[in-house]
Amino acid sequence: MASNKILCVAEKPAIAKAVANHLAGGHVTTRPSGNQYVKNYDFDFSFGQPWGNCSVTMTSVIGHLTGLEFEANYRKWSSCTPEHLFDCRVEESIDNDKKAIAENITQQARYAKALFIWTDCDREGEHIGSEVRDAAVRGNSRLQVKRARFSNTERAHVLRAALNPIDLDERQVNAVAARIELDLRLGASFTRFQTLNLQAMGASLAERLISYGSCQFPTLGFVVDRYFRVKNFVPEKFWSIKIVHRRDDIDVTFLWRRHRLFDRMAVTVLFERCLNARIAKVSKLQKKPTSKWKPLPLTTVELQKLGSMFLRMDSQKVMKIAEELYTKGWISYPRTETDQFDKGIDLKALIQKQLPDQTWGPYSQHLLTSAGAFHTPRAGHNNDQAHPPIHPVNYVNPTTLSHDERRVYEFVVRRFLGCCSDDAKGSLTTIELAYGDELFHATGLLVLQRNYLDIYTYDRWESSQQLPTFEMNEVFEPSEANMTEGETGPPGYLTEPELISLMDANGIGTDATMAEHIAKIKERMYVETRPRGGAASTNTGDTAGRGGARGTRGSRGGRGRGGRGGAQTIDDSTSVTSGRGGGVIEFIPTTLGCALIEGYDNMGLATSLGKPFLRKEMEAKMKEICAGTKGRRDVVQEVLEGYREVLVTAVRQVEVLRAACRKYVLNGGNGGEAP
């Protein structure tokens, strides 16, 4: 074993190539590895003490090397009951298509004194690092193992990571190992239970794989829950009072402090009192400065939500493009919960890199040279202690990127420059009237300094119509007074930004996996998507929109009002911005998606599989492993016991699930009624 050889292994071939070029200073020799996508890069580099000047081989894996599977005699679906999969032995093995990669690591490690792991610095990357370590130790049991901590592939950052290696975090390794085992046992047991029982019903279910995932089903549950709230919504009439006064050729609308009431007679009495008073008096006159805060630094969840909202891309596509931009060295690591910049980051140096751009270069110059233009970004409340917020680390001419890469890169740059700007400033005027016994108000906004809005064009804050002059305590007879009528309207179907917000709030998946879970329920045809207000994108899943929501749903929303204050309103006196149209994608459950969620809901389970609580509890236990307060085996057993109770009840109540499928799927999606 050579005493000055170090083996470096990255998570992806592109990262291995980028890191090798940075460390080698361009003087690198390339060799094949046994896998067509993976190369070995040889060069020299001085790692500092205690390593000194070393010869280096940099190579990579392509994601996970190993997979977990049941023992051979439990792999056939007919080999045992689904409940047995909670307890039978599992085996870890190297995937067939990864054996050449693992063997390359084993062979290269024979001649090394140390292994430096360059996998992504998150939980999953830590576990992949442990797989790399295991493959390397098979070739050299005396190997010292370290990992590089990095969040982007910018040269100076890579060099710092190489000179300051740390140890693998075994707690994170164990947390991922626990999650992998639980996903296998829970997914396989419930998938076999559902598929075997529902395929036996024949018709469209006869050849259907009906998969289960502990994140997949709560995600579907959110979509189904909103669907039934919309379908079961019962409008309610309401009444309001609106007064208008014309002054200086401007019609000023004063809105009722009570907003609206659902009692026509009560509003009629109050309105008549106003008319009898005849005279309105200015009871409050206020003019004060106001601000629209600039955005917080960008996290993964926000990137997915806003990418869907503003770029009209689904979250999975946004993350794929962000990963590519990161791999190419243009942005920082795109999987982060952190919404605050470390004080040690040179933000102005990052801004300076954007000066060459013709579109946002002049604004970058303004931040650097105009007095008072640059402001320290706001600090949020989240810091994962692993990665900074998503930001540009190098400039790339947008014309060299693909159309979608350019849009995502531009969004990241504009968000970062907006974070380094000042808040937008304005002046807000409020006039309050006493009219009879009732209070009314009107507001006027004047935007004085746009500041961050000039670069972060995704936010809107516009001046309203200016109010004419009123004096405190002046009295006048309103030009017009009306009693108006409207009715509440249903919420919209769930959009992707809303779904991501619900998943985030309820601990369903991590910031790194939410897009995958959403893609999975689409792939399994449990949901379909469509532009808001349009037709479903496909019909292969048999959408539930044909009447599957008839009747009531009891605990899943009843009449579906969702609270009087939260519904969209239809009113001739109030302009309602509902966010509809414009290409926003909404989710509609298929008939099978509705059947699965309603079936489990109706079983009388302590916690339905369509609810987020079991998975949220599991994720909390993963964090306990990472914190060192619980061990891997203890967590696996605790979680399995909770789900075992659910499976036993589901097996006993399987006819309830079948009844839901007959109601929605086998009866043409008509909720049990004849087509």
Side-chain angles (χ1 to χ4, degrees), residues 359-381:
T359 302
W360 55 78
Y363 188 87
S364 302
Q365 183 71 46
H366 162 69
L367 288 180
L368 294 174
T369 59
S370 300
F374 174 85
H375 282 72
T376 302
R378 295 169 56 199
H381 300 294

Side-chain angles (χ1 to χ4, degrees), residues 72 204 206 384 408 449 474 507 515 520 646:
S204 61
D384 60 19
V408 174
Q449 300 174 35
E474 77 164 283
K520 183 62 68 177
V646 173

